[in-house]
Amino acid sequence: MQVKVTCPNCGKELKAPEELRGKRVACPSCNESFRVGGPAEPPPGLPGSGPLRGVPPPVNRPAQAAKFIADESVETRVRFGADGRLPELRFEARTAEPDPQQTQVRDSNPLLLVGVLCFSITLSLILLVFEPQEFRSSDAAKAEARHWIELKYIGVGPNLKPHEKRLREALQAFYRGDRGAERRLYRDVLNMLHDESHQGAAGLTGPRAALDPPNDQHLEQQLATLLSGD
């Protein structure tokens, strides 16, 4: 068991084994001796008064281990080390536990955080400015399909066939931004192609299939491209 003692000379708080109660020890801070558990001894000078005038205050010396000073008539059972140090007499040091949040912030690498932030911003800008390749390819294919329809499947003059009128109205709807009407008219023409294929040898546009447009098979391919993604 240990007892808490306070050096009467420098005020340092110490711990000493129970076996040292009533015995004199040396303070490891100021190297002055005092009795463990006994009454405080006044410093040299007049009884009950402070240090003598003109005497300089005690100088802080390097901390040393307290050494036991036994009275000549007292037999002690305390065992000392080879260097004459007390085995367990020590300062009662209290260290504050580190704050986990402060430790985490201190250990984090600020350069890594900045790099991650810059990468995220750059990726967002790339996605906003550049469209994915598949969307660009789809838009290019639809633009080519509209070109074929306008070039090969819409006649000139007032006497247009029913499917030609719907194709022209579909292109007009596209140019004014009405995608819903455009797709609806393309579906009408696609249904007309399917109906015509069951009625005879001739197709809606002339031949059903040929190496070069116009022909029903080629027109059906263009309509399928324009209706893709619905």
Side-chain angles (χ1 to χ4, degrees), residues 149 161-170 173 179-197 204-205 219-220 223-224 226-227 230:
I149 289 175
K161 296 179 181 180
H163 73 277
E164 293 178 325
K165 292 181 180 179
R166 284 177 172 79
L167 290 174
R168 185 176 62 180
E169 292 173 0
R179 298 297 179 86
E182 180 190 14
R183 293 189 182 94
R184 178 177 53 80
L185 292 166
Y186 288 149
R187 292 192 192 96
D188 291 345
V189 177
L190 190 61
N191 292 331
M192 296 171 66
L193 284 172
H194 293 165
D195 293 340
E196 188 69 22
S197 63
L204 185 67
T205 62
L219 176 58
E220 186 174 358
L223 294 176
L226 292 169
L227 292 174
D230 288 358

Side-chain angles (χ1 to χ4, degrees), residues 19-20 22-26 33-35 67-78 80 86:
E19 292 84 353
L20 297 182
K23 299 177 177 60
R24 299 182 67 81
V25 296
S33 63
F34 63 93
R35 191 177 300 277
K67 296 183 178 180
F68 177 69
I69 304 175
D71 294 338
E72 295 180 358
S73 60
V74 179
E75 182 181 356
T76 178
R77 293 178 296 175
V78 179
F80 304 98
L86 291 175

Side-chain angles (χ1 to χ4, degrees), residues 13 16-17 30 50 81 122-123 125 146 149 154 157 165 189:
E13 187 176 355
C30 64
T122 303
L123 183 60
L125 293 176
R146 292 187 183 96
I149 289 175
I154 299 177
K165 292 181 180 179
V189 177

Side-chain angles (χ1 to χ4, degrees), residues 124-139:
S124 300
L125 293 176
I126 291 175
L127 293 177
L128 289 175
V129 175
F130 300 100
E131 297 181 0
Q133 185 65 29
E134 58 178 318
F135 294 134
R136 297 176 60 187
S137 300
S138 176
D139 291 342

